[in-house]
Amino acid sequence: MYSFKELSQLFEEKFNIRHFPEYPHNLYNASQYILTLGGKRIRPVMCLMGNELFDNINPDAWHLANAIELFHNFTLIHDDIMDKAPLRRGMQTVHTKYGGPTALLAGDVMLVAAYDFINKINNDHIHQVLEIFNHTAMQVCEGQQLDMDFEQNENVSFDEYEKMIQLKTSVLLAASLQLGAVLGGAGVGNQQHLYGFGKNLGIAFQVQDDYLDAFGDPEKFGKKHGGDIIANKKTFLLIQAMHVSSKDQLIELHRLMRNNDDDKIQKVINIYKSCTVDEWAQELKQKYMAKAFEHLEEIAVLSARKKPLEQLAHYLLDREA
Amino acid sequence: MYSFKELSQLFEEKFNIRHFPEYPHNLYNASQYILTLGGKRIRPVMCLMGNELFDNINPDAWHLANAIELFHNFTLIHDDIMDKAPLRRGMQTVHTKYGGPTALLAGDVMLVAAYDFINKINNDHIHQVLEIFNHTAMQVCEGQQLDMDFEQNENVSFDEYEKMIQLKTSVLLAASLQLGAVLGGAGVGNQQHLYGFGKNLGIAFQVQDDYLDAFGDPEKFGKKHGGDIIANKKTFLLIQAMHVSSKDQLIELHRLMRNNDDDKIQKVINIYKSCTVDEWAQELKQKYMAKAFEHLEEIAVLSARKKPLEQLAHYLLDREA
């Protein structure tokens, strides 16, 4: 069996080619461009790991891993258009570099190219793969819509936010594992537990991401510290703070969100701390991790086979910054 | 066998339902909205006709027809965003009504929903259907990109423009017929001739569309007369006029395109007439129609079975305005 790092390297070697024709240049260079910006390729590797949990890697799993990574990049291109994001991984976003219309199309052909990889999959699995893939794709779009809806909504509950994060982030991680498991011949029960592992891991990851934006060490943390606070982004922390804060703190939070004080970040963090939102978030992350590991435990394979998935969980969730 | 009109009616009855979940409302109402704007549903009906040319309609052909119509509407939503079009069929475009980001997503989920219909197709045909569908989808995106590229390019040749029209318009008509033929059990040769019929029909239709914009009877013609001329849109007429006009006429054409004279439409039409671009376009349309019918002739089925396709051709191409 491969470790998480070995599989990442193997996938990167295979994936690191031009995936599109030359002509029309504008269109396909835009599609190819985002693939050259790197990324951790977590989702396709999860697909391969989901397969290898049950059996040797099925050659079709490489096609499916390609499809998943192309799908993920399709969502990145379109999300960046919708969010008007100028940068991704420190580089120009596709629409900034190639213009909105070409970026839109570059995303569209990326999605079609994903389905072209799915079409390389053997008859035995194609219907189930398409069903999971399509369902997940719809959910990811729903998550993005809810994320946009919530920007306009001051009163988003914990449950609503958690549901949105599940759709926007977690289901693709979960489905990547499950899709691999399908190709590995896993039974339905094992597939469901693996999906549950991925889904809870994904939410735990988002809790951590939200936490680190406020409380991470800015020197170790890749992103600018407090970016979510500056942008008034809904996060697990903000939603909890609005829920548990005193009336005065709530008024101050709303005031800080309307204005942009020079020390907005520090003031919001101070409120978070006095509401013990930091501790709450750490416990919440542990809760989702524990749920994830409960699902992993339930999967009926030798525990030695689960090692790479444990490595993955620690790789994703043991960051301090 | 059904006539073209009967099949249109049957398809419309089946298609005229809500195709999307209720929640998130914004997203799925936007997707559903464009489906309620009507349209002639030509492509899905062509799929059904392509099937019925060879055999009784395969139940899967209805799924495939749905997929094709959803795909077509996905392209309409995204094209309208790219073209910043305010209206479609006299109604607000999706992005005008729901905003750009939601329209973008509404298109994305529409494409995924198309693939969900494809996934209902039996194992025997799914790979071939996906192959044709994916290839066609890529081509349609390429056509849209070339169309946008050509807006910035003063010297588009006839061959380049014809290629763009093929990609943007014709291949989906051709593929709709071919996909139906696949489900009808047609052999490769018959599939290719049917594809050739659809492709040439599509180009003939575009030639006619370009012709009617300038020379159609505005009272019978749905669109505003001369809209292509006002927008400096590349058309078969403009490209030919620039090719065959005298130097003085060419200078005048360029001047008219830079400025917006009150009588720009009439002046351009006068140049078209003095270059006999109108007669040329009529002959060009006849040429493509003849090619289309040559392909239809070659399809090895009883000629009685070809009647609905002949009706379709005349329905599409015998408009005078």
Side-chain angles (χ1 to χ4, degrees), chain A residues 28 78 108 121 127 134 142, chain B residues 28 78 108 116 121 127 142:
Chain A
Y28 289 128
H78 281 191
D108 291 345
I121 289 170
H127 284 293
N134 290 341
E142 292 171 8
Chain B
Y28 289 127
H78 280 191
D108 291 345
D116 228 27
I121 290 170
H127 284 292
E142 292 171 9

Side-chain angles (χ1 to χ4, degrees), chain A residues 35-95:
Chain A
L35 302 182
T36 63
L37 297 184
K40 293 187 287 290
R41 314 300 188 201
I42 288 170
R43 293 155 194 83
V45 174
M46 286 173 88
C47 169
L48 297 167
M49 292 168 84
N51 181 157
E52 220 190 6
L53 183 62
F54 300 97
D55 202 348
N56 292 334
I57 294 180
N58 182 328
D60 283 348
W62 296 98
H63 299 311
L64 193 44
N66 282 329
I68 289 168
E69 185 62 13
L70 291 182
F71 172 79
H72 175 58
N73 279 275
F74 143 77
T75 66
L76 297 183
I77 296 176
H78 281 191
D79 284 2
D80 284 341
I81 295 174
M82 288 180 256
D83 300 342
K84 298 192 172 61
L87 296 176
R88 171 162 298 277
R89 298 183 186 123
M91 303 284 283
Q92 284 185 302
T93 45
V94 179
H95 65 98

Side-chain angles (χ1 to χ4, degrees), chain B residues 83-135:
Chain B
D83 301 343
K84 298 191 172 65
L87 296 176
R88 169 160 300 274
R89 298 185 186 122
M91 302 285 282
Q92 285 185 301
T93 44
V94 180
H95 64 98
T96 308
K97 191 171 166 80
Y98 293 91
T102 293
L104 201 172
L105 269 182
D108 291 345
V109 293
M110 187 90 81
L111 179 57
V112 175
Y115 281 104
D116 228 27
F117 273 114
I118 290 179
N119 196 31
K120 296 180 196 290
I121 290 170
N122 197 283
N123 270 351
D124 297 346
H125 296 120
I126 186 136
H127 284 292
Q128 204 187 344
V129 164
L130 268 175
E131 190 183 329
I132 296 168
F133 190 89
N134 289 341
H135 181 59

Side-chain angles (χ1 to χ4, degrees), chain B residues 78-317:
Chain B
H78 280 191
D79 284 4
D80 284 342
I81 296 174
M82 289 181 256
D83 301 343
K84 298 191 172 65
L87 296 176
R88 169 160 300 274
R89 298 185 186 122
M91 302 285 282
Q92 285 185 301
T93 44
V94 180
H95 64 98
T96 308
K97 191 171 166 80
Y98 293 91
T102 293
L104 201 172
L105 269 182
D108 291 345
V109 293
M110 187 90 81
L111 179 57
V112 175
Y115 281 104
D116 228 27
F117 273 114
I118 290 179
N119 196 31
K120 296 180 196 290
I121 290 170
N122 197 283
N123 270 351
D124 297 346
H125 296 120
I126 186 136
H127 284 292
Q128 204 187 344
V129 164
L130 268 175
E131 190 183 329
I132 296 168
F133 190 89
N134 289 341
H135 181 59
T136 306
M138 301 285 268
Q139 288 180 308
V140 173
C141 292
E142 292 171 9
Q144 170 68 6
Q145 180 67 44
L146 292 176
D147 198 11
M148 297 191 299
D149 289 348
F150 290 173
E151 279 176 31
Q152 315 300 324
N153 180 352
E154 289 232 334
N155 296 302
V156 177
S157 71
F158 175 88
D159 287 347
E160 288 172 318
Y161 181 75
E162 193 225 34
K163 177 74 185 167
M164 182 276 283
I165 291 298
Q166 273 190 41
L167 292 169
K168 187 170 167 163
T169 304
S170 296
V171 295
L172 184 56
L173 300 171
S176 297
L177 287 168
Q178 187 188 0
L179 285 165
V182 167
L183 296 192
V188 173
N190 281 338
Q191 283 180 39
Q192 285 171 346
H193 281 301
L194 188 56
Y195 188 94
F197 170 72
K199 198 175 77 173
N200 284 285
L201 200 68
I203 309 174
F205 184 80
Q206 186 67 46
V207 174
Q208 171 180 263
D209 209 55
D210 288 357
Y211 173 88
L212 291 175
D213 181 75
F215 299 107
D217 180 341
E219 290 192 14
K220 295 185 197 165
F221 192 50
K223 288 192 248 179
K224 199 176 141 200
H225 192 244
D228 293 345
I229 294 173
I230 292 289
N232 296 331
K233 205 172 161 303
K234 302 273 182 314
T235 63
F236 276 108
L237 307 184
L238 179 61
I239 284 163
Q240 173 71 359
M242 294 179 97
H243 184 58
V244 299
S245 58
S246 68
K247 194 176 165 192
D248 286 349
Q249 286 173 323
L250 188 60
I251 290 167
E252 173 69 357
L253 266 177
H254 278 298
R255 192 194 65 75
L256 286 164
M257 287 170 74
R258 276 194 307 276
N259 306 310
N260 263 323
D261 298 9
D262 285 345
D263 52 355
K264 174 177 172 180
I265 295 176
Q266 197 50 54
K267 281 180 175 164
V268 171
I269 288 178
N270 289 346
I271 296 177
Y272 285 173
K273 280 187 178 158
S274 72
C275 302
T276 65
V277 162
D278 48 346
E279 290 164 32
W280 169 86
Q282 291 287 38
E283 282 164 26
L284 187 68
K285 173 182 153 186
Q286 293 303 328
K287 197 189 88 180
Y288 287 117
M289 277 187 76
K291 271 198 203 175
F293 279 102
E294 276 169 35
H295 281 291
L296 189 61
E297 189 73 21
E298 290 294 325
I299 299 170
V301 299
L302 288 178
S303 60
R305 297 197 80 87
K306 300 177 184 173
K307 280 273 173 297
L309 289 171
E310 290 165 11
Q311 290 168 358
L312 169 77
H314 293 298
Y315 170 77
L316 290 176
L317 293 170

Side-chain angles (χ1 to χ4, degrees), chain A residues 146-147 150-151 153-165 206 210 232-245 250 253-254 257 268 272 275 277 280-281 284:
Chain A
L146 292 178
D147 198 11
F150 290 173
E151 279 175 32
N153 181 352
E154 290 230 334
N155 295 304
V156 177
S157 70
F158 175 87
D159 287 348
E160 288 173 318
Y161 181 74
E162 194 226 35
K163 178 74 184 166
M164 183 275 283
I165 290 300
Q206 186 66 47
D210 289 358
N232 296 332
K233 203 171 162 300
K234 301 275 186 308
T235 63
F236 277 107
L237 307 186
L238 179 60
I239 284 164
Q240 174 70 359
M242 293 178 96
H243 184 59
V244 299
S245 58
L250 188 62
L253 267 176
H254 279 298
M257 288 170 74
V268 171
Y272 285 174
C275 302
V277 162
W280 170 86
L284 186 67

